[in-house]
Amino acid sequence: MTQPIIEFRNVVKKYDDHVVLNGVDLEIDAGKFYTLLGPSGSGKTTILRLISGFLDASSGDILFDGKRINDVPAEKRQVNTVFQNYALFPSMNVYENVAFGMTLRGVAPAQIKTKVTEMLELVKLKGFEEREIDELSGGQQQRVAIARALANDPKVLLLDEPLSALDYKLRKEMQYELRAIQQRLGITFIFVTHDQEEALAMSDWIFVINDGEVVQNGDPIDIYDEPINHFVADFIGEANIIPGTMVADNLVHFNGQDFKNVDGGMRPNEPVEVVIRPEDVDIVSVEAGAVTVRIDTVSFRGDYFEITASDMDHHEWQIQSTNGVEEGSRVGVTFDPEDIHIMRLNETEEDFDARLEAYDEE
Amino acid sequence: MKKQSLLMKFYLIVVFLLMYLPIFYLILFAFNRGDYMTSFTGFSLRHFATMFADTRLMGILLNTFIIALLSSLVATLVGTFGALGIYLLKRRNLQNVFLGLNNILMVSPDVIIGASFLILFTMAGLALGFGSVLIAHIAFSIPIVVLLVLPKLNEMDSALIRAAQDLGARPYQVLSYVILPYIWTGIMAGFFMTITYSLDDFAVTFFVTGNGFTTLSVEIYARARQGIDLSINALSALMFLVSLVLVIIYYFIANHKQKGSGKHKRATVNQQLGGGVQ
Amino acid sequence: MKSKQSIPYMVPYVLWIVLFVILPLLLMLIQSLQDIHQQWTLANYANFFRSGTYLKMTFNSIFYAFLVTVITLSISYPMAYGLSRVKNSQFWLLLVILPTWVNLLLKAYAFIGLLSQTGTVNQFLGFIGIGPQQLLFTDTSFILVASYIELPFMILPIFNSLVEVNPSLPNAARDLGATPWQTLRRVIFPLTLGGVRAGVQAVFIPTLSLFMLTRLIGGNRVITLGTAIEEHFLITQNWGMGSTIGIILVVAMGITMYVTRDRKKRGKR
């Protein structure tokens, strides 16, 4: 195992009595695209600022390349940040902004010029050197901010919700580009966002943050398919979350019936929550269905229909289907055993990981 | 970082001390038993007694406050309607011409204002005295009121006026029910600001006051040229208290109900203080 | 309310502009172009520019105003910077403003007490063994007191421009490797030039025209343009020459405003 480039060991951040980060441990490996995902106020930006050095940890260690950097000032750290509102210097033009870090270090002008040109090409802003910042659109400012941060050759690039101010289309475009830039340069990106879709689309690895703690971390597919708890299931993607009990291994009871599933390793009759993603729910005839529901609303979303329905126990179901159904009609729904995900109540991430690994070994 | 901010705090404290030392020094010696501002020989209120017994000084104090109140009242009235007029002008460049003219007296050195008013009053055959001082104070106070009221007007949603008209309000009703209540804090701020400018003015008054009439600043100047007189210290203690009260009233008004745009408002006022008459 | 309706409101205000803004300056200009017999002449101006005394006085006045501006600026910038960074900065700002509400004459008077032959400062100097010095009625005392009086007027506009700097900009600079000093010099200072200009205007012009300080503190050793105007109007009664100096002061003011104007007009954000 190679040494992580950034490591948090039980990092706590509090203001007076207000705890923002409650003992965070995390490891960041070089060369990957990481996302810190969480609702606003969860502490994700705090983690970013602890890495960049704008905040000091109340306790715990922050390591960079294996060395403790808690006391290293921000300007001496080999990380650079793309700020949420870009923070471009309005008194300088595009060239001067991108050159700023190198100018400080006293790099030779010719070398600066080469690097600035290279960076502006990378972000597709060739020929914008002499533009003033206030002459640029939001998307262009965003690109300058990225070029400026990358021009310093950081080992890690921190991105603090950089796409939140852009409109939907531009945002999609920037997601692809950021991903492409990261893969081309091969440096570590740590991206902060509250947008789960963005996180799933871009990342190699996601840390889900809530209430100052890392709730779950894993690759996008794992996190989507095997959410650890109600919060993650709800926050990431749409989910039907139904209370149930684990009757035995591979058998779960909910909605008044037993269903076959692929989870196990729990106490008999342990209360659990069942997660079924809307796209895994199939609409069939009432006779063929496992559960009978009444269709409440149907809305067309372009490539699919979003359907809400309620069952006899008044649980609401969210269903995504490529075919429309009539509102008010009664239909059956089914799902495969693999699509039933079980979440234990209050399971820690270690136990959760151990349990998942146990299945894999079986 | 830590060390530097400590140094910074030290610096701030030193500058504040330097700023306040002369003022507190002045006030301290108002309570001196002795007659000089050199050594404090014991606590006494006798200079206050002397000050209050000095009928000439008390008369001047009264004059000064009458001038300040009257000039501020008139200036606030004229300035408010002036600001209203500028606000209602449709053409932007005409607005700018008026604002430019308005600011001439704000940026002109006092000596120029004083000297040119002296020429004006002499040409007009106006006797120098209470009247000329009052008119001069009104004249230099008007632009201050305009500068404090106009931003309030600009900040007001013009749809309010249209809505009132739509509901059948006549122009004077629009003014009294919609506009005046909205800009009231600006008007009050202007009133108190001009009072302090008037109380503080020396140079303009000095030029247009003639022989018979004196305000406080002019009197202090005359006495200070003759040397130390601790009843002036007593007076300064009194005036400091008045300033303190005015400052508190002014800030209460200026910052009242404008949490959102407070910074901008303050900037306007400060700019004014900065470009102010001395 | 249409434009037309604004006319009655404007009457007193427009009257004020004509009578007290345009007319006085016009009269002053006319006065400067006439001799004592009200004949049109340029003699006053010729006199001003030919006489070494007037030119020397103008130069001195500008030099002293320059010194006062430099001194207040160098004290004010760190002060405003520090103030913009402390908690409750609006309260501390109030403490900066408060002295400006204390009557100017009283502040000058305080320095008479402090700096006089037997004053507190001289007592202190005697105590530490330097012995009493002539402090009052010197060039230095004028510069000191003028700087003291003008200080808040320099701090305020700089403070206002500092608090308007987007707080993420200093962070961005540090993130890119700038030391606190480099951040201040290369990022913050250029963004607050507007405030510095406003401060320079607010200090330089009034200092050119201060006249009572030159008498009370400077002991007539320092003669500013303001002192000269006062002298010609109220003592020698030579209004023509006084007006000429006045017009020159107005021109000097115009030049100061022009030099310190915002050269690069940029939309904010």
Side-chain angles (χ1 to χ4, degrees):
Chain A
M1 215 178 112
T2 54
Q3 188 178 44
I5 186 155
I6 290 172
E7 198 179 341
F8 272 41
R9 287 185 191 155
N10 196 22
V11 171
V12 174
K13 176 71 191 171
K14 52 185 168 188
Y15 298 98
D16 300 325
D17 285 339
H18 179 60
V19 179
V20 184
L21 287 187
N22 190 9
V24 167
D25 291 290
L26 51 81
E27 286 182 9
I28 304 278
D29 290 331
K32 284 193 190 157
F33 197 119
Y34 288 88
T35 298
L36 304 178
L37 174 66
S40 58
S42 58
K44 56 192 190 304
T45 300
T46 305
I47 295 179
L48 208 66
R49 295 208 175 133
L50 287 169
I51 299 173
S52 58
F54 294 129
L55 288 178
D56 294 323
S58 308
S59 67
D61 296 325
I62 299 167
L63 288 88
F64 189 91
D65 268 346
K67 286 186 212 73
R68 190 173 184 275
I69 55 160
N70 288 45
D71 303 318
V72 177
E75 62 266 25
K76 300 241 168 71
R77 298 193 186 183
Q78 286 168 297
V79 297
N80 286 114
T81 308
V82 177
F83 290 84
Q84 185 167 14
N85 52 13
Y86 318 139
L88 297 173
F89 306 124
S91 50
M92 306 176 194
N93 64 19
V94 169
Y95 184 94
E96 290 162 340
N97 262 285
V98 178
F100 185 76
M102 288 179 283
T103 322
L104 293 175
R105 276 182 281 127
V107 177
Q111 217 176 323
I112 292 180
K113 188 150 198 277
T114 320
K115 185 78 182 184
V116 172
T117 311
E118 183 193 329
M119 285 301 127
L120 288 179
E121 243 165 72
L122 182 73
V123 297
K124 299 183 180 156
L125 279 183
K126 209 176 152 191
F128 280 68
E129 286 83 351
E130 301 303 318
R131 294 283 189 97
E132 298 298 337
I133 298 308
D134 55 14
E135 296 168 1
L136 301 178
S137 69
Q140 289 165 339
Q141 292 191 9
Q142 168 74 82
R143 288 161 192 268
V144 177
I146 294 167
R148 183 180 70 177
L150 289 173
N152 251 21
D153 290 325
K155 287 197 174 171
V156 176
L157 186 73
L158 309 176
L159 302 105
D160 186 4
E161 305 218 22
L163 307 184
S164 58
L166 302 180
D167 63 46
Y168 183 75
K169 216 174 148 206
L170 206 54
R171 203 154 142 177
K172 284 270 174 205
E173 201 181 304
M174 284 310 294
Q175 287 175 10
Y176 288 116
E177 270 187 52
L178 274 177
R179 184 72 176 136
I181 290 171
Q182 189 270 330
Q183 277 167 345
R184 189 163 144 199
L185 299 178
I187 62 177
T188 314
F189 276 34
I190 304 178
F191 187 93
V192 161
T193 184
H194 60 266
D195 183 336
Q196 45 96 10
E197 214 179 306
E198 204 162 88
L200 294 174
M202 299 169 78
S203 324
D204 291 317
W205 198 262
I206 296 176
F207 289 90
V208 183
I209 320 279
N210 190 36
D211 279 342
E213 283 173 13
V214 176
V215 187
Q216 184 173 13
N217 75 91
D219 67 45
I221 295 171
D222 281 351
I223 290 204
Y224 187 82
D225 280 349
E226 296 290 348
I228 184 171
N229 59 21
H230 196 118
F231 170 80
V232 177
D234 202 33
F235 191 69
I236 305 209
E238 307 276 315
N240 295 299
I241 303 175
I242 309 141
T245 40
M246 204 64 191
V247 181
D249 281 0
N250 302 333
L251 195 66
V252 61
H253 180 90
F254 63 92
N255 258 43
Q257 298 172 53
D258 289 342
F259 292 92
K260 268 204 155 99
N261 71 337
V262 293
D263 284 291
M266 282 158 256
R267 288 178 277 115
N269 293 321
E270 180 178 331
V272 293
E273 283 180 315
V274 178
V275 178
I276 304 170
R277 295 286 178 189
E279 66 273 18
D280 292 336
V281 180
D282 299 318
I283 295 179
V284 292
S285 64
V286 173
E287 298 75 37
V291 178
T292 304
V293 297
R294 195 174 151 275
I295 305 294
D296 295 328
T297 64
V298 179
S299 66
F300 182 54
R301 287 297 161 94
D303 39 0
Y304 64 90
F305 289 88
E306 192 161 290
I307 299 162
T308 61
S310 39
D311 63 25
M312 300 308 129
D313 295 339
H314 301 291
H315 288 131
E316 185 159 296
W317 287 78
Q318 294 178 28
I319 307 160
Q320 286 172 9
S321 161
T322 46
N323 302 314
V325 281
E326 209 174 307
E327 284 183 18
S329 63
R330 295 165 71 84
V331 295
V333 293
T334 63
F335 25 82
D336 297 333
E338 307 81 76
D339 296 331
I340 300 174
H341 309 293
I342 303 299
M343 302 188 299
R344 300 176 77 178
L345 303 174
N346 303 320
E347 190 173 31
T348 64
E349 210 183 349
E350 285 95 21
D351 294 344
F352 175 78
D353 288 341
R355 183 160 63 81
L356 288 197
E357 265 168 45
Y359 306 153
D360 291 344
E361 279 159 25
E362 274 167 20
Chain B
M1 263 330 260
K2 282 273 151 56
K3 206 187 269 168
Q4 203 192 10
S5 70
L6 211 67
L7 198 73
M8 189 46 105
K9 270 186 193 138
F10 179 72
Y11 180 76
L12 292 187
I13 289 167
V14 168
V15 177
F16 269 122
L17 276 180
L18 287 177
M19 284 176 83
Y20 278 89
L21 222 59
I23 296 168
F24 288 136
Y25 173 80
L26 205 58
I27 295 173
L28 174 75
F29 276 95
F31 299 97
N32 190 9
R33 188 179 294 150
D35 276 329
Y36 301 99
M37 240 202 288
T38 47
S39 52
F40 196 84
T41 50
F43 179 85
S44 151
L45 286 175
R46 71 184 184 89
H47 298 295
F48 284 89
T50 318
M51 174 185 71
F52 285 117
D54 186 341
T55 46
R56 179 181 149 77
L57 192 63
M58 286 299 108
I60 290 167
L61 199 62
L62 190 66
N63 281 339
T64 309
F65 276 100
I66 289 173
I67 293 273
L69 276 173
L70 275 182
S71 67
S72 297
L73 262 174
V74 178
T76 305
L77 214 63
V78 176
T80 302
F81 282 106
L84 216 60
I86 294 178
Y87 171 73
L88 291 173
L89 282 176
K90 280 281 139 62
R91 283 170 46 208
R92 272 241 153 242
N93 34 5
L94 204 58
Q95 281 191 339
N96 286 334
V97 168
F98 271 106
L99 271 178
L101 287 170
N102 188 72
N103 286 348
I104 287 184
L105 285 197
M106 293 302 305
V107 296
S108 291
D110 288 11
V111 183
I112 299 291
I113 299 176
S116 64
F117 281 9
L118 177 61
I119 302 175
L120 178 76
F121 293 150
T122 314
M123 295 255 174
L126 187 76
L128 299 183
F130 179 82
S132 61
V133 172
L134 180 64
I135 292 173
H137 279 226
I138 292 171
F140 74 63
S141 296
I142 287 173
I144 304 168
V145 178
V146 172
L147 280 189
L148 283 170
V149 173
L150 202 56
K152 288 249 92 186
L153 280 165
N154 287 331
E155 178 184 285
M156 184 175 68
D157 185 354
S158 61
L160 288 179
I161 296 178
R162 287 196 296 275
Q165 285 172 323
D166 184 63
L167 295 168
R170 306 184 52 88
Y172 75 90
Q173 290 169 319
V174 174
L175 185 67
S176 58
Y177 286 110
V178 180
I179 300 178
L180 284 183
Y182 195 92
I183 61 174
W184 189 245
T185 53
I187 296 173
M188 289 311 283
F191 179 68
F192 278 97
M193 191 65 140
T194 50
I195 285 186
T196 57
Y197 266 77
S198 172
L199 287 179
D200 205 32
D201 178 69
F202 165 70
V204 176
T205 314
F206 191 66
F207 271 89
V208 298
T209 192
N211 285 325
F213 184 78
T214 305
T215 64
L216 202 58
S217 297
V218 177
E219 179 69 9
I220 298 170
Y221 178 69
R223 291 194 184 196
R225 292 194 78 177
Q226 282 153 25
I228 303 298
D229 174 357
L230 288 194
S231 53
I232 296 184
N233 291 61
L235 189 64
S236 66
L238 196 71
M239 293 298 285
F240 185 73
L241 211 67
V242 173
S243 302
L244 206 62
V245 171
L246 282 174
V247 129
I248 291 165
I249 294 176
Y250 176 79
Y251 269 84
F252 183 73
I253 293 169
N255 295 330
H256 185 57
K257 282 203 297 194
Q258 32 174 278
K259 288 268 149 63
S261 55
K263 194 167 282 165
H264 178 70
K265 222 49 21 64
R266 244 168 264 142
T268 319
V269 172
N270 293 342
Q271 251 163 27
Q272 248 188 52
L273 278 166
V277 200
Q278 296 217 337
Chain C
M1 292 174 104
K2 307 243 167 56
S3 219
K4 250 185 253 160
Q5 282 161 317
S6 72
I7 291 168
Y9 296 136
M10 291 290 265
V11 172
Y13 181 69
V14 171
L15 220 62
W16 166 78
I17 288 185
V18 173
L19 282 181
F20 295 100
V21 179
I22 300 171
L23 194 58
L25 286 178
L26 209 63
L27 286 176
M28 190 176 234
L29 184 67
I30 292 171
Q31 191 93 104
S32 77
L33 292 168
Q34 288 182 342
D35 63 15
I36 357 171
H37 310 291
Q38 274 157 24
Q39 299 296 310
W40 296 98
T41 172
L42 280 171
N44 288 323
Y45 288 92
N47 202 349
F48 183 93
F49 286 106
R50 243 185 257 139
S51 130
T53 345
Y54 283 121
L55 287 181
K56 190 159 174 274
M57 182 264 302
T58 309
F59 173 78
N60 272 340
S61 186
I62 290 171
F63 178 67
Y64 284 121
F66 172 77
L67 275 185
V68 169
T69 308
V70 169
I71 291 168
T72 49
L73 180 60
S74 49
I75 297 175
S76 299
Y77 202 95
M79 180 76 179
Y81 183 77
L83 282 176
S84 69
R85 242 131 273 257
V86 293
K87 274 188 208 159
N88 304 325
S89 56
Q90 287 301 334
F91 168 77
W92 294 106
L93 189 69
L94 201 64
L95 282 189
V96 174
I97 296 171
L98 189 59
T100 69
W101 294 54
V102 172
N103 193 303
L104 185 66
L105 269 299
L106 290 175
K107 286 187 277 192
Y109 174 77
F111 278 95
I112 298 178
L114 278 167
L115 300 177
S116 68
Q117 203 51 252
T118 51
T120 310
V121 174
N122 265 330
Q123 286 176 9
F124 177 73
L125 289 180
F127 177 74
I128 59 172
I130 297 176
Q133 305 283 320
Q134 174 66 38
L135 297 173
L136 206 55
F137 309 139
T138 61
D139 303 6
T140 324
S141 65
F142 171 75
I143 292 168
L144 173 81
V145 179
S147 302
Y148 169 77
I149 285 166
E150 302 291 352
L151 190 63
F153 300 102
M154 184 67 94
I155 296 176
L156 291 174
I158 297 177
F159 174 85
N160 284 327
S161 65
L162 276 166
V163 291
E164 271 178 19
V165 172
N166 179 344
S168 65
L169 293 179
N171 274 351
R174 286 188 64 204
D175 186 75
L176 292 163
T179 61
W181 170 242
Q182 285 172 317
T183 307
L184 181 64
R185 193 168 60 90
R186 310 188 63 138
V187 176
I188 300 175
F189 188 72
L191 290 175
T192 53
L193 272 182
V196 172
R197 284 195 200 97
V200 169
Q201 286 178 3
V203 169
F204 187 77
I205 298 167
T207 310
L208 277 182
S209 56
L210 277 177
F211 72 88
M212 65 87 194
L213 271 194
T214 58
R215 298 221 188 280
L216 288 181
I217 305 290
N220 291 339
R221 284 179 51 88
V222 182
I223 306 226
T224 62
L225 288 172
T227 322
I229 294 170
E230 186 245 5
E231 191 144 330
H232 282 101
F233 268 91
L234 299 178
I235 298 169
T236 63
Q237 300 279 335
N238 183 353
W239 287 15
M241 196 61 214
S243 298
T244 304
I245 303 170
I247 295 298
I248 282 163
L249 181 53
V250 170
V251 171
M253 180 181 97
I255 293 172
T256 313
M257 304 282 255
Y258 182 78
V259 169
T260 54
R261 79 195 184 283
D262 201 352
R263 238 156 291 212
K264 227 172 175 181
K265 272 279 175 212
R266 281 174 172 168
K268 289 264 141 71
R269 252 148 289 161

